[in-house]
Amino acid sequence: MSHTLETVVNETAANPQWAVIWLHGLGADGHDFAPIVPELLRPDWPAIRFVFPHAPVQPITINNGVPMRAWYDIVSMDFASRADAAGVTASVQALDALVEAEIARGIPAERILLAGFSQGGAVILSAALRWTRPIAGLIALSTYLPDPKAAADARVADGIRPPVFMAHGAHDPVIPQGIAVESAGMLKSLGFPMEWHSYPMAHQVCAEEIHALGDWLDARFRAA
């Protein structure tokens, strides 16, 4: 995977003081969550640069090898081994390059948030265990931590432990909520401050979730 990804960028005002890098799910692209910005914004927030990268197109094993945008191949239905480890690592490196680009544009790591839905969320959670960057927080929607044992073994001792907003659908047929609960529990045990939300929905987002995320973001901005 190239570490240079095409992106959709939405700046809420001139001279952004914060950045949110938001990774989409399997088969979608960077446009997928761009419409969420006006629903999320609040009048007194600082200027934010939202960066929505496009995942590369690659064949997906469980979809009979059909190519689509994906952050990694899905090689099995078993959650313990379904994510292609090399693909996850490549996406973590690509995400790191996006963070570097925001730092180069003048936004410190402490004001960069990472967000992801489904596959995108799996990548940001994996990245958090491998980095030492002091990022502002993680937003993990309808997702889980791939291969938690390997992820825990790969974590760096002096790594980051940013606050996490994690939300899931109680009726999610793609990633059962129990898998996400296990991931949240593991992250919490490793020292990540965790805010967990469950909603009566499937593999999607809902208005109540966006409102709760807005409250969580508001707390991050006010604490800075």
Side-chain angles (χ1 to χ4, degrees), residues 109-152:
E110 295 88 346
R111 293 194 172 192
I112 297 175
L113 296 123
L114 305 180
F117 176 82
S118 196
Q119 258 207 350
V123 171
I124 69 161
L125 293 180
S126 297
L129 290 173
R130 306 182 194 189
W131 287 355
T132 57
R133 297 183 183 280
I135 58 171
L138 304 169
I139 301 162
L141 309 179
S142 300
T143 192
Y144 76 110
L145 177 65
D147 196 346
K149 183 181 184 304

Side-chain angles (χ1 to χ4, degrees), residues 176-192:
Q177 182 169 258
I179 300 294
V181 168
E182 289 177 6
S183 295
M186 178 185 172
L187 291 166
K188 189 174 180 179
S189 73
L190 293 173
F192 289 79

Side-chain angles (χ1 to χ4, degrees), residues 48-79:
I48 307 166
R49 178 183 295 120
F50 284 87
V51 179
F52 301 98
H54 301 303
V57 175
Q58 59 181 299
I60 301 300
T61 299
I62 65 163
N63 287 348
N64 297 315
V66 174
M68 60 186 63
R69 290 198 181 276
W71 297 109
Y72 52 83
D73 188 14
I74 300 177
V75 297
S76 165
M77 293 306 293
D78 181 357
F79 279 90

